[in-house]
Amino acid sequence: MVRRAHLTEGISARGIETVDEDLTDLGSLSRLLALEDAALESDEMRPLRLAREFSKADATLTERQISSTIVVFGGHLIVSPEDADAALARAEGPEQRARALRMKELSAWYAEARLFARIVSERGGALATDAPRENVITTGGGPGIMEAANRGAMDAGAPSIGFNIDLPEEQPPNPYTTPEHSFSFRYFAVRKMHFAIRANALAIFPGGFGTMDELFEILTLKQTRKTAPIPVILFSRDYWRTVVNVEALVDWGTIAPADADLFEMVDTAEEGWAALVRHGLMQAPPAKDV
C-alpha cells in the first residue's frame, strides 16, 4: 500500500493540516490533488506558482528541441481575407460597410503574416528533424495575426508555438498552433519571458495596445542592452508611421537619435525575410526528401 503525507494551508479551520490518505483509492488521490492545488493558491506560494508555470513550458520546448524562435505579434481583431469578404457582404448601412471595408484593408496583413510565417518556417530551420529546430514561429496563440502566423507555419508543415494567456474574456487557442506546443499562462510576466528567451527576431504587424506593449518592451530591452540586439521588424510603413511618431520623440529629446534605429520597417513578407537575413539570421539548407 502506498501512502502519502503532505501539508496544505488554508484548507481547514486549523489553518495547516496534515493529510494521510490511501493512494490506492482514486477518489482519495483526487481529493489530495485538489487540496494541493488549493494550497498553491495562497499568497505565500506565488513564487512557486511562477516557477512552476515557467518551468513547465521551458521543459517541454527543451524536450522537443526548440532551440530558437521568431516571435510574431499583431492585432487579434484582424481577420482573414475570406472572413473580411464575408463580413463586407453582410454589411448593412454606411457605418457597418465602412467598418467592413477597414477590416478588408487590414486583412491584407493577415495574408502577409501567413506568408511570412511560411517563408520563415521553410527557410529558417523549423523543418529540421535530425537537429534542434531553429526560428520556430511563435505567437500569443490567439486569433487575428497570431492565427495567421501559426497557420503559415502549418502551411509549411512546420511546428509552431502558441503562448496563450488566461483572460476574463475567453481566448481559446487558434486551431493552427501545434497542439503539444500550445501553452496557457496565468501570469503575463512568465509569458513575456518565454517570448523573449528563445527569440532570434520579432515581427510586429499592425495591432493595438497588446501589440504595442510587446513592441516597446523589447525596444526598451534593446535600448538598455538587457537583451541581445535581435532584429525588430515592423510590417506596414503606413500604419506604424501613422500611429507611432518616433521622429517626434527624437525632436523632443526623450529618446536618442540612435534609438530610432532599434527597428526596421518593411511592407512585404519577402522584404521582412531579407531584413532578417541581413541582420544575420542564418538560412537553413533545403529539407531533403526521404
Side-chain angles (χ1 to χ4, degrees):
M1 179 182 296
V2 179
R3 303 183 74 86
R4 181 178 181 182
H6 62 97
L7 294 177
T8 61
E9 185 176 356
I11 304 303
S12 71
R14 293 191 297 273
I16 297 179
E17 177 181 16
T18 300
V19 181
D20 192 8
E21 294 272 12
D22 178 1
L23 296 194
T24 60
D25 181 342
L26 292 180
S28 296
L29 177 58
S30 296
R31 287 194 296 274
L32 282 172
L33 293 175
L35 287 171
E36 288 186 343
D37 286 343
L40 284 171
E41 288 303 306
S42 68
D43 287 345
E44 293 80 3
M45 290 295 176
R46 185 174 290 110
L48 183 58
R49 293 197 302 271
L50 287 162
R52 185 173 70 166
E53 187 164 278
F54 176 84
S55 298
K56 180 180 179 181
D58 188 55
T60 299
L61 295 177
T62 299
E63 179 184 359
R64 297 190 178 280
Q65 292 193 293
I66 306 296
S67 179
S68 63
T69 60
I70 302 294
V71 180
V72 180
F73 292 123
H76 71 286
L77 298 177
I78 297 176
V79 300
S80 67
E82 54 267 30
D83 286 345
D85 286 339
L88 186 58
R90 294 192 304 267
E92 298 180 357
E95 186 175 337
Q96 283 191 15
R97 183 166 178 81
R99 179 171 177 79
L101 285 170
R102 176 64 78 182
M103 286 296 99
K104 174 63 176 175
E105 181 182 3
L106 284 171
S107 73
W109 293 110
Y110 181 108
E112 209 65 34
R114 181 178 176 182
L115 177 58
F116 175 75
R118 177 170 184 165
I119 290 171
V120 169
S121 297
E122 290 176 341
R123 304 177 192 175
L127 292 171
T129 57
D130 56 354
R133 297 181 188 268
E134 303 286 351
N135 303 312
V136 175
I137 290 294
T138 299
T139 76
I145 292 296
M146 297 173 280
E147 174 187 291
N150 291 123
R151 189 175 180 182
M154 179 178 282
D155 291 341
S160 68
I161 299 167
F163 290 140
N164 218 302
I165 185 75
D166 294 338
L167 296 173
E169 296 181 3
E170 183 180 5
Q171 178 181 285
N174 70 65
Y176 303 103
T177 307
T178 303
E180 57 268 31
H181 299 158
S182 181
F183 304 91
S184 182
F185 291 92
R186 176 176 179 176
Y187 296 104
F188 270 106
V190 177
R191 182 178 182 243
K192 286 174 179 290
M193 288 180 67
H194 274 293
F195 277 134
I197 59 175
R198 288 179 171 83
N200 273 346
L202 267 68
I204 316 289
F205 286 80
F209 291 155
T211 301
M212 295 200 186
D213 170 51
E214 302 294 353
L215 167 61
F216 283 107
E217 185 166 57
I218 291 296
L219 291 180
T220 301
L221 291 174
K222 287 186 67 176
Q223 179 193 53
T224 55
R225 300 182 184 180
K226 296 294 287 185
T227 189
I230 61 174
V232 176
I233 310 299
L234 276 57
F235 283 78
S236 179
R237 291 179 173 90
D238 286 346
Y239 180 82
W240 290 109
R241 285 173 177 166
T242 300
V243 301
V244 180
N245 192 339
V246 177
E247 290 78 11
L249 296 175
V250 174
D251 291 343
W252 278 96
T254 51
I255 65 172
D259 292 337
D261 298 326
L262 292 172
F263 59 87
E264 181 174 343
M265 295 186 188
V266 301
D267 283 322
T268 69
E270 285 288 357
E271 192 180 0
W273 172 254
L276 295 184
V277 173
R278 189 168 61 253
H279 283 282
L281 194 76
M282 299 299 292
Q283 184 159 334
K288 295 180 180 179
D289 294 332
V290 178

